[in-house]
Amino acid sequence: LALPHPPSPSQMAHLRRLILRPFTAAGHRLQLAYEEASGLKGVLDRHREVRDTRQELEVIREQRREATERLRQKQEELRPIRARIEGMQRSDPRFPALVSEEQAAERKLDECKADFERRDQEEREAFEKLTMAFNASHVEERAYAERTKYWGVAASLLGTAVGLLGSFILSYQRTTGFAVALEQQSKRHHEQITELQHEMSSRLKSEASEETSTHVETTQTARVEFLSAVGAFSSVLSLLIIAYKSGGFG
């Protein structure tokens, strides 16, 4: 059986993109939601507007410089024609051609002036638009800073409340655990004391029963000895009476 070939780096990269695509989309949605909620989206939009307006202004300024250069060139082209006309007699056959050339140069100069004025007006409008975009961006940034400050205060209060709640829960758990441990320890001590009391009670009962039996035996022994002594005394007394009666003490 032929072993399967390992996947190529491009296949591995494609597989990695397929695996990470849902997480990337979810992260993008979370980022957009955060930007929308915090006001960062407005700030980014204003910055983008400022950047686009600045680029537009740079393009218009470049066009204005080109229009200025064309106007200067047309003015330079018209100056020698006018100098030649001023130094030429009207009766000269070249005079009408120079006048026609002057008129054509003046028309081109007027076109360049109109183009320059249009570019200059566009530059002014773009500069005003850029100024307005800057002002709007600054306003949006200040609003975002204020909103961020409020969010920070709210987050600090929430964090403090969560910390206090966590400390209370930990303290409650510790107190409850200590109370349970103390109750268990007291219960064990009570059980030990109860067992000790039972043991002492049993021991005292056994000792009392032993003392009682010993006392009974002693009493019985003393009674036997007393009865024996009484019997012996009675025997001696009987012998003395018999002897007396028989005159043994004479």
Side-chain angles (χ1 to χ4, degrees):
L1 295 176
L3 295 176
H5 295 286
S8 62
S10 60
Q11 292 176 346
M12 291 295 296
H14 180 66
L15 181 61
R16 190 180 300 111
R17 286 194 297 270
L18 289 178
I19 294 174
L20 295 178
R21 183 177 299 172
F23 301 99
T24 305
H28 183 64
R29 287 195 296 270
L30 288 175
Q31 181 181 359
L32 291 178
Y34 168 75
E35 291 178 357
E36 189 69 28
S38 62
L40 182 61
K41 184 177 181 300
V43 176
L44 295 177
D45 292 341
R46 294 301 180 184
H47 287 177
R48 192 178 302 109
E49 182 181 356
V50 170
R51 184 176 63 252
D52 295 341
T53 307
R54 184 185 289 113
Q55 292 176 356
E56 181 181 356
L57 179 61
E58 292 296 330
V59 173
I60 292 175
R61 281 180 173 176
E62 183 64 26
Q63 294 175 354
R64 181 180 180 277
R65 282 192 292 268
E66 293 175 358
T68 304
E69 183 63 22
R70 287 194 299 270
L71 178 62
R72 187 186 63 79
Q73 290 177 0
K74 296 303 179 183
Q75 289 174 349
E76 292 294 332
E77 291 175 1
L78 184 61
R79 188 175 294 111
I81 296 174
R82 288 178 175 175
R84 289 172 60 188
I85 290 175
E86 290 177 358
M88 185 179 293
Q89 296 293 329
R90 293 182 180 273
S91 61
D92 194 329
R94 295 174 297 176
F95 184 78
L98 286 176
V99 171
S100 299
E101 185 178 356
E102 180 188 15
Q103 292 176 354
E106 286 179 351
R107 285 195 298 270
K108 292 181 180 179
L109 180 62
D110 292 338
E111 292 177 358
C112 290
K113 285 182 179 179
D115 183 60
F116 170 78
E117 292 176 356
R118 185 174 64 254
R119 300 300 180 184
D120 186 69
Q121 183 65 26
E122 290 179 353
E123 182 184 9
R124 292 177 182 176
E125 292 177 356
F127 184 78
E128 292 178 359
K129 185 178 178 181
L130 179 61
T131 303
M132 294 174 61
F134 266 117
N135 294 332
S137 177
H138 291 164
V139 171
E140 195 69 30
E141 287 178 355
R142 286 194 295 270
Y144 173 70
E146 291 292 330
R147 195 179 296 111
T148 304
K149 180 177 69 176
Y150 294 146
W151 276 101
V153 172
S156 299
L157 294 176
L158 181 61
T160 304
V162 171
L164 292 175
L165 181 60
S167 300
F168 175 75
I169 292 173
L170 290 177
S171 300
Y172 177 76
Q173 289 180 351
R174 290 177 181 175
T175 306
T176 305
F178 179 74
V180 171
L182 183 61
E183 183 179 358
Q184 292 177 355
Q185 187 70 20
S186 301
K187 187 176 180 180
R188 285 196 297 269
H189 288 171
H190 181 69
E191 291 177 354
Q192 292 176 358
I193 291 171
T194 304
E195 291 178 358
L196 182 61
Q197 288 178 352
H198 286 305
E199 184 179 355
M200 293 178 63
S201 179
S202 300
R203 186 176 297 175
L204 288 174
K205 287 181 180 179
S206 61
E207 290 179 356
S209 60
E210 289 178 0
E211 290 179 358
T212 303
S213 60
T214 304
H215 179 69
V216 170
E217 290 177 357
T218 305
T219 304
Q220 290 178 354
T221 303
R223 185 178 298 172
V224 170
E225 289 178 356
F226 177 74
L227 292 175
S228 299
V230 170
F233 180 73
S234 300
S235 299
V236 173
L237 183 60
S238 299
L239 290 174
L240 290 175
I241 292 172
I242 294 171
Y244 177 76
K245 288 181 176 181
S246 60
F249 295 95

